[in-house]
Amino acid sequence: QVQLVESGGGLVQAGGSLRLSCAAFGRTFSLYAMGWFRQAPGKEREFVSGISQSGAFTKYADSVKGRFTISRDNAKNTVYLQMNNLKPEDTAVYYCAADLRATATTLKSEYDYWGQGTQVTVSS
């Protein structure tokens, strides 16, 4: 069992930055690939970014490439999402998720554990 707790969301103006954190509790964090997803009102939850167990491999949705950076610190059992140049269309609840495999997948159905989410609101 893994418990995931996100933090760092908030209200920011367009062009601003936020850093989300996701702390993991329970089983060995380094065994899990980690992903960030987001869900806007009335829309399906979508993949944002993923990172492999070691942190060597990352993936990004096209909509966030060049603006968002995912990283992890296995010593601190934490994964981060640095979000720069935020846009109003980035407004959503952001979730982190853990998948017991080496590399991150974009498929939300493959993830075993989810956090409760943190709200990100970008004003224009």
Side-chain angles (χ1 to χ4, degrees), residues 29-114:
F29 178 68
S30 59
L31 292 178
Y32 293 84
M34 299 297 295
W36 284 98
F37 290 76
R38 67 187 181 186
Q39 188 166 18
K43 294 189 177 181
E44 288 196 6
R45 193 171 298 189
E46 64 176 3
F47 173 81
V48 174
S49 183
I51 190 165
S52 62
Q53 290 171 335
S54 67
F57 302 100
T58 57
K59 294 179 181 178
Y60 297 93
D62 288 344
S63 58
V64 307
K65 253 176 214 176
R67 300 188 297 123
F68 290 11
T69 303
I70 191 171
S71 61
R72 67 188 296 162
D73 185 338
N74 285 346
K76 294 183 178 180
N77 291 354
T78 302
V79 62
Y80 305 96
L81 185 68
Q82 178 66 45
M83 306 186 295
N84 297 329
N85 191 20
L86 282 160
K87 303 175 180 181
E89 51 264 42
D90 294 318
T91 295
V93 177
Y94 283 71
Y95 299 89
C96 71
D99 179 17
L100 191 61
R101 69 175 74 203
T103 57
T105 174
T106 62
L107 301 175
K108 57 182 181 288
S109 60
E110 295 295 312
Y111 286 80
D112 304 298
Y113 302 101
W114 292 83

Side-chain angles (χ1 to χ4, degrees), residues 12-29:
V12 64
Q13 287 188 330
S17 298
L18 284 173
R19 187 174 85 151
L20 305 184
S21 299
C22 173
F25 303 90
R27 298 186 66 181
T28 306
F29 178 68

